[in-house]
């Protein structure tokens, strides 16, 4: 085993050790994570330089893709504490009463698997990708996604849950209609992990509706006091949120508003044709948290702007900032990009 494991990164060994247990539970990991794996490059040396699928590593140790043995469905596995705050919040959000609310845009849980002789469990969730890739085709696609996320934020806040880590990497979409050929977990801009192949997708507007979800509740707060709740703490990735402090208490719900507002700002910076929606982002990121809108008010503001646009404007092609003519032409001609 030692001679095989030298091919892994240290953080990947957990998944190799878990492979037999996960297989017994009906979940298959990629070849790279089989206990007796030998890299294809080693097992089948070639004179011609090439990259093999099993060289695609992950660079985080808490989540992994897998396939369900019963039907081949791709899923995501995440290991979390069985009795921790994250599990409590996830179980509530995935409970039958919560799922009946159409505003619930949190990732469904397909299975919970306790890990024997540990205080941890695996969550099994649908395989998704970041909601903003592949690129948006039109304003309608942006509107559909942000409407879901603002609805989802309203739902969580109405149940006194602050997500506290809202960012594109925690905002997913179901890729099944958009990328029917599927994507590779370690290289999501490819279908199979090979970067020399074209990556194809359908425009979201052509296959709508496309479901969007919030994921990752590891930093979330359940605050029964609601608007009167007070917490402490700073965040590594959101240093510009003014009220964050280890010493001065603050309410966590306006932090969510600010984070989602930052995400909208970044999307508008990427797509200049979305500038009409800037006032929503500006209101959500004002310095004084008491002056920020609630999720309900932000949603109403967002919908008001969208409602003023002609259908032709909502459906017309939009492009990323500074995207060159040849890249535009390539995308229009081939319907994809090189991974």
């Amino acid at each position: 085993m030692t001679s095989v494991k030298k091919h892994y990164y240290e953080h990947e060994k957990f998944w190799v050790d878990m492979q037999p247990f996960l297989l017994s539970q009906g979940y298959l990991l990629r070849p790279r994570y089989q206990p007796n794996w030998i890299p294809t490059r080693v097992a089948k040396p070639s004179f011609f330089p090439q990259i093999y699928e099993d060289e695609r590593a992950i660079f985080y140790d808490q989540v992994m893709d897998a396939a369900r043995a019963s039907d081949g469905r791709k899923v995501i596995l995440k290991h979390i504490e069985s009795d921790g705050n994250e599990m409590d919040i996830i179980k509530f959000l995935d409970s039958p009463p919560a799922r009946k609310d159409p505003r619930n845009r949190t990732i469904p849980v397909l299975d919970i698997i306790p890990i024997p002789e540990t205080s941890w469990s695996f969550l099994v969730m649908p395989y998704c990708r970041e909601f903003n890739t592949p690129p948006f085709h039109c304003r309608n696609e942006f509107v559909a996604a942000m409407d879901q996320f603002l609805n989802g934020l309203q739902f969580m806040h109405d149940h006194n849950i602050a997500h506290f880590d809202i960012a594109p990497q925690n905002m997913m979409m179901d890729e099944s209609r958009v990328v029917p050929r599927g994507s590779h977990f370690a290289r999501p801009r490819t279908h199979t992990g090979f970067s020399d192949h074209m990556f194809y997708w359908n425009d979201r507007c052509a296959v709508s509706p496309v479901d969007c979800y919030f994921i990752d509740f590891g930093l979330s707060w359940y605050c029964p006091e609601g608007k009167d709740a007070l917490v402490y703490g700073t965040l590594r990735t959101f240093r510009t949120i003014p009220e964050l402090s280890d010493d001065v208490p603050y309410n966590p719900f306006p932090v969510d508003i600010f984070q989602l507002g930052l995400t909208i700002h970044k999307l508008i910076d990427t797509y200049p044709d979305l500038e009409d929606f800037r006032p929503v982002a500006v209101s959500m990121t004002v310095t004084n948290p008491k002056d920020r809108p609630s999720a309900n008010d932000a949603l109403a503001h967002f919908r008001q702007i969208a409602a003023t646009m002609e259908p032709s404007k909502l459906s017309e092609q939009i492009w990323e900032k500074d995207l060159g003519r040849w890249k535009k032409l390539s995308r229009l001609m081939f319907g994809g990009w090189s991974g």
Side-chain angles (χ1 to χ4, degrees):
M1 181 65 72
T2 303
S3 62
V4 173
K5 282 195 171 184
K6 68 181 181 181
H7 298 297
Y8 297 105
Y9 292 104
E10 187 67 29
H11 62 269
E12 294 182 287
K13 293 179 182 179
F14 168 81
W15 295 101
V16 180
D17 293 337
M18 285 290 104
Q19 186 273 343
F21 171 69
L22 287 167
L23 181 61
S24 74
Q25 300 298 305
Y27 294 97
L28 308 172
L29 298 184
R30 284 183 277 121
R32 181 180 178 87
Y33 302 103
Q34 305 303 309
N36 297 317
W37 171 70
I38 298 176
T40 303
R41 183 180 297 277
V42 175
K44 299 178 180 180
S46 172
F47 176 79
F48 301 100
Q50 54 187 303
I51 296 176
Y52 299 96
E53 183 281 328
D54 60 359
E55 295 180 358
R56 301 307 191 190
I58 58 166
F59 293 97
Y60 24 79
D61 60 3
Q62 199 175 7
V63 293
M64 174 63 73
D65 62 314
R68 194 162 59 186
S70 60
D71 58 6
R73 178 178 180 177
K74 290 179 68 174
V75 297
I76 293 294
L77 307 172
K78 180 180 182 182
H79 63 93
I80 66 172
E81 291 185 20
S82 300
D83 298 317
N85 177 68
E86 183 174 8
M87 182 68 83
D88 290 341
I89 289 175
I90 286 170
K91 284 183 174 179
F92 168 77
L93 292 170
D94 201 55
S95 65
R99 284 290 163 210
K100 288 181 181 178
D101 192 326
R103 301 175 302 160
N104 187 350
R105 305 315 306 169
T106 58
I107 190 77
V109 176
L110 305 175
D111 201 358
I112 298 177
I113 307 172
I115 304 175
E117 300 180 10
T118 75
S119 60
W120 297 78
S121 293
F122 287 113
L123 295 178
V124 183
M125 298 167 287
Y127 185 94
C128 293
R129 65 185 296 113
E130 284 192 29
F131 81 103
N132 59 337
T133 174
F136 290 120
H137 165 264
C138 60
R139 293 176 181 85
N140 269 327
E141 296 184 353
F142 167 77
V143 169
M146 296 316 304
D147 194 279
Q148 290 187 64
F149 286 121
L150 285 163
N151 248 313
L153 192 59
Q154 180 191 56
F155 167 80
M156 288 189 288
H157 287 189
D158 281 354
H159 290 87
N160 297 322
I161 294 172
H163 186 283
F164 219 59
D165 196 14
I166 295 174
Q169 65 267 25
N170 290 328
M171 299 164 66
M172 298 285 120
M173 73 172 182
D174 175 6
E175 76 165 16
S176 58
R177 295 180 182 178
V178 179
V179 189
R181 300 188 190 185
S183 64
H184 193 280
F185 184 60
R187 289 292 300 274
R189 286 171 61 114
T190 71
H191 295 297
T192 60
F194 296 99
S195 58
D196 56 343
H197 295 174
M198 286 290 288
F199 182 75
Y200 298 99
W201 68 86
N202 296 320
D203 291 331
R204 297 163 182 79
C205 58
V207 294
S208 63
V210 175
D211 287 325
C212 294
Y213 303 110
F214 286 112
I215 64 166
D216 193 352
F217 300 90
L219 298 179
S220 300
W221 295 88
Y222 169 64
C223 301
E225 309 91 338
K227 294 180 180 178
D228 297 321
L230 294 174
V231 301
Y232 295 88
T234 56
L235 296 168
R236 264 183 325 202
T237 54
F238 294 100
R239 300 180 184 275
T240 59
I241 301 178
E243 66 264 33
L244 296 185
S245 172
D246 289 324
D247 306 308
V248 180
Y250 56 89
N251 186 276
F253 297 101
V255 173
D256 277 356
I257 297 295
F258 197 104
Q259 290 174 340
L260 189 52
L262 281 179
T263 300
I264 296 173
H265 271 303
K266 290 176 182 178
L267 288 170
I268 296 169
D269 291 342
T270 301
Y271 297 89
D273 288 322
L274 298 176
E275 190 64 37
D276 288 335
F277 295 95
R278 182 81 71 178
V280 179
V282 169
S283 68
M284 295 173 73
T285 54
V286 296
T287 300
N288 189 341
K290 294 182 179 180
D291 293 333
R292 293 173 206 154
S294 65
N296 185 55
D297 290 340
L299 176 60
H301 188 188
F302 183 82
R303 287 177 170 174
Q304 181 183 36
I305 293 173
T308 65
M309 296 184 182
E310 294 292 331
S312 58
K313 183 174 182 178
L314 288 168
S315 61
E316 73 180 3
Q317 176 90 56
I318 63 175
W319 297 102
E320 304 95 303
K321 182 180 180 181
D322 299 329
L323 188 67
R325 175 172 173 245
W326 289 111
K327 287 188 177 180
K328 290 181 183 180
L329 192 60
S330 175
R331 196 182 299 172
L332 289 170
M333 290 177 62
F334 300 111
W337 59 29
S338 176

